[in-house]
Amino acid sequence: MKKIISFFVLLVAALSCFAEDKPNIIIILADDLGYGDVSCYGATKIKTPNIDKLASDGLRFINVHATSATCTPSRYALLTGEYPWRKKGTGVLPGNASLIIPTNKSTIATMFKKAGYATAVVGKWHLGLGNGNLDWNREIKPGPLEIGFDYCFIMPATGDRVPCVFVEDHKVVGLDPNDPIQVSYDKPIGNEPTGKNNPELLKLHPSHGHDQTIINGISRIGYMSGGKSARWIDEDIADTITGKAIDFIKKNKSKPFFLYFATHDIHVPRVPHPRFAGKTVMGARGDVILQLDWSVGAIVKTLEEQKLMENTLIIFTCDNGPVLDDGYKDRAVELADGHKPAGELRGGKYSNFEGGTRIPFIVMWRGKIKSANSDAWVSQIDLFASFAALTGQSLNKGDAPDSINVLPALLGNSQKGRDHIVEHAGSISIRRNEWKYITPNKGAKFNKATGTELGNDPQPQLYNLKEDIGEQRNLADKYPDIVKELSDYLQKLRGL
Ligand code: NG6
Ligand code: CA
């Protein structure tokens, strides 16, 4: 009897050890949310209690970067562990682009799968689908399922790009075969009204571009016809995808799972559900921040109910910096009224300045990670190698080539992450020690559509971020040796 009892004690110990080694991992990736957009990072005009709670229960990082200042390259890096600027075709994609991640490439999802995880992506994809000339009315592949995800429920590109439908696994959701979908980014299709010709039909008007096919009273980028029964309702996107994320958690609660939950909030068009509309002083942009916070709360509530909190590591972060007017007249600029989306950082989405890629980043794992702030340097590209380490996976040569294992920093066991950060917008920049160097670039100073300062300059730029976090004083002339040193270092990293 004693032997049997000790056998069971050992078994329970072994099982709980297994559970510790293989916690569930949830990455919640918001869209276009700035360093200063949530209250735990200093916002005062809006309260984000659920995100704040993650931060106060977990580790709040102040020096974490997305690799890039726009969506597609940033997500490419997160999933592959490879800098997007190493590969052509990783810029912001149209909604009919082919899948840009080769199906024979290791991804964070294939890594988790090898470690025995159930894997899913729910929400915004924006990495292309199919092999070219995709027929949206047939099997949609290759896509997430061909690069390591067991399940997907996605928006193919962005909320402002056609087709405005969800794809679940290999199929458009709710498609009526008698009303096939056609998509074009070159010329109008069918006789669907457009924002350009029928502005009287719009409930939200474009400020830049976004004047092609009208879906739900909002004109988009690109033309689409058909698929009427499959079109999403913008007000319901957050509810729909959060619901799918919750379903996946519940279905997979007894095995380790990896959930990549990419919210549509707070990207344009910002169309909050009526229960959030008008609830902030900042207009639609503020309302969708509340909606995002609700989604985070709903995920945590599910984990609590399913008793998964002790066994789930949650990351909350974002794909790139903030923007106010990103192409629709939603009064974001006017109603910001002193709110600083990027906090004290300069620039925002699209920018070489810190506002482009330095983003909120919170890691929470109840009982395992102590509540604290961390100034460890991490790039989102490091999640691949770090989670490989956490789950005991070794990486093959060539896998996640730019990803560094910073697991001790992610778990709060060390204040040291990586010793440099590469930032990618119009230029490629590097942070090392107190310095930030921006490679000369003849591009425009401001984004024409958004007004964001892009940080392009034909001259080298060097900032001392310790003394000048707002990147106001270019010290390149004063310290040519440091410029040379950083420029050489970057060239080497780039393989030039
Ligand atoms: C820009 C769009 C912007 C947004 C962005 C991609 C215009 C004028 N602007 O070209 O609205 O869609 O692309 O955003 O069309 S991202 O977050 O997916 O990178
Ligand atoms: Ca984005």
Side-chain angles (χ1 to χ4, degrees):
M1 187 66 184
K2 230 179 172 181
K3 262 191 183 158
I4 295 178
I5 290 175
S6 41
F7 171 74
F8 275 109
V9 168
L10 272 176
L11 187 69
V12 169
L15 282 177
S16 59
C17 185
F18 174 75
E20 263 180 43
D21 287 340
K22 304 245 168 107
N24 307 310
I25 307 286
I26 301 180
I27 299 177
I28 305 176
L29 189 77
D31 201 344
D32 298 359
L33 184 79
Y35 192 78
D37 267 329
V38 286
S39 33
C40 54
Y41 280 82
T44 53
K45 300 215 165 207
I46 188 156
K47 286 266 162 285
T48 47
N50 293 300
I51 298 167
D52 294 3
K53 174 120 183 40
L54 277 188
S56 60
D57 290 352
L59 266 178
R60 188 187 70 109
F61 287 76
I62 56 172
N63 264 308
V64 176
H65 286 257
T67 62
S68 310
T70 49
C71 170
T72 302
S74 168
R75 289 161 200 248
Y76 176 88
L78 177 80
L79 293 189
T80 64
E82 177 182 58
Y83 287 126
W85 39 261
R86 295 205 191 281
K87 196 177 138 92
K88 276 213 170 85
T90 54
V92 173
L93 294 176
N96 61 352
S98 307
L99 177 67
I100 57 168
I101 301 179
T103 52
N104 59 0
K105 195 173 180 68
S106 292
T107 67
I108 197 167
T110 57
M111 183 277 293
F112 274 119
K113 234 168 119 86
K114 260 202 269 159
Y117 279 63
T119 54
V121 50
V122 175
K124 175 173 168 179
W125 182 240
H126 213 184
L127 292 162
L129 292 166
N131 277 327
N133 288 327
L134 181 68
D135 183 345
W136 295 89
N137 307 289
R138 295 171 182 255
E139 279 222 307
I140 294 168
K141 64 190 228 190
L145 269 49
E146 285 64 42
I147 57 161
F149 292 100
D150 296 322
Y151 172 71
C152 78
F153 188 97
I154 53 171
M155 305 168 69
T158 57
D160 57 347
R161 283 174 176 75
V162 301
C164 298
V165 295
F166 296 114
V167 171
E168 186 168 34
D169 292 340
H170 290 135
K171 288 253 174 325
V172 168
V173 178
L175 181 63
D176 172 359
N178 296 317
D179 181 26
I181 295 175
Q182 280 192 67
V183 170
S184 166
Y185 275 72
D186 304 324
K187 51 181 188 330
I189 299 193
N191 36 30
E192 302 276 330
T194 61
K196 190 163 181 213
N197 296 330
N198 305 89
E200 74 285 359
L201 299 178
L202 295 174
K203 67 175 181 192
L204 179 59
H205 289 259
S207 55
H208 306 280
H210 298 109
D211 61 357
Q212 297 173 342
T213 299
I214 299 178
I215 313 278
N216 307 332
I218 302 166
S219 44
R220 319 272 167 161
I221 308 174
Y223 300 99
M224 162 180 187
S225 72
K228 290 236 156 71
S229 61
R231 296 178 181 188
W232 65 51
I233 313 271
D234 295 83
E235 286 80 352
D236 293 343
I237 291 175
D239 282 352
T240 305
I241 60 177
T242 306
K244 293 291 170 186
I246 289 173
D247 289 349
F248 174 79
I249 293 172
K250 287 185 179 165
K251 263 194 210 131
N252 292 281
K253 63 177 177 187
S254 52
K255 37 186 154 170
F257 63 79
F258 166 57
L259 170 62
Y260 165 43
F261 178 42
T263 71
H264 170 243
D265 292 323
I266 62 169
H267 198 277
V268 296
R270 304 172 183 127
V271 191
H273 187 272
R275 69 185 188 282
F276 302 108
K279 292 286 152 65
T280 66
V281 293
M282 283 162 38
R285 188 172 185 278
D287 299 345
V288 295
I289 295 179
L290 274 195
Q291 184 165 277
L292 167 69
D293 187 66
W294 167 83
S295 291
V296 171
I299 300 283
V300 172
K301 185 163 169 262
T302 305
L303 295 170
E304 295 278 12
E305 284 165 5
Q306 304 295 322
K307 311 223 173 324
L308 292 172
M309 281 305 271
E310 278 75 18
N311 193 29
T312 302
L313 183 155
I314 307 167
I315 290 191
F316 174 81
T317 186
C318 181
D319 67 339
N320 55 251
V323 55
L324 290 172
D325 180 345
D326 204 16
Y328 289 99
K329 293 182 179 163
D330 60 9
R331 303 178 67 208
V333 175
E334 164 195 352
L335 296 173
D337 190 28
H339 169 74
K340 292 196 180 129
E344 43 182 353
L345 308 177
R346 188 169 178 184
K349 181 176 181 178
Y350 312 111
S351 177
N352 296 316
F353 291 129
E354 289 294 285
T357 57
R358 207 195 287 196
I359 34 71
F361 189 91
I362 299 165
V363 187
M364 138 79 169
W365 184 3
R366 184 178 291 163
K368 293 290 184 309
I369 295 181
K370 287 197 198 82
S371 156
N373 290 320
S374 175
D375 65 2
W377 289 22
V378 173
S379 166
Q380 287 175 353
I381 207 166
D382 300 330
L383 293 179
F384 193 148
S386 305
F387 287 144
L390 179 68
T391 57
Q393 300 296 299
S394 51
L395 297 179
N396 292 324
K397 201 166 179 275
D399 288 357
D402 299 305
S403 187
I404 296 178
N405 172 9
V406 292
L407 187 62
L410 292 180
L411 299 179
N413 298 328
S414 162
Q415 283 285 319
K416 223 177 117 35
R418 47 164 63 228
D419 66 359
H420 67 276
I421 302 258
V422 181
E423 302 179 30
H424 165 224
S427 275
I428 298 181
S429 312
I430 185 146
R431 283 184 68 186
R432 219 168 148 221
N433 302 318
E434 65 269 51
W435 300 106
K436 156 110 170 251
Y437 165 69
I438 305 177
T439 307
N441 184 321
K442 293 202 180 95
K445 297 257 178 215
F446 292 90
N447 180 303
K448 242 202 292 172
T450 64
T452 311
E453 277 191 295
L454 297 175
N456 294 326
D457 198 312
Q459 298 303 321
Q461 293 175 80
L462 180 74
Y463 298 100
N464 181 332
L465 295 184
K466 234 185 202 151
E467 289 165 3
D468 177 24
I469 194 173
E471 294 167 282
Q472 296 296 326
R473 290 181 298 281
N474 181 2
L475 302 176
D477 285 346
K478 200 167 168 196
Y479 299 109
D481 294 354
I482 298 173
V483 168
K484 169 134 190 11
E485 190 191 313
L486 290 177
S487 162
D488 289 352
Y489 186 83
L490 190 55
Q491 298 265 88
K492 209 164 142 215
L493 252 170
R494 293 172 68 178
L496 297 175

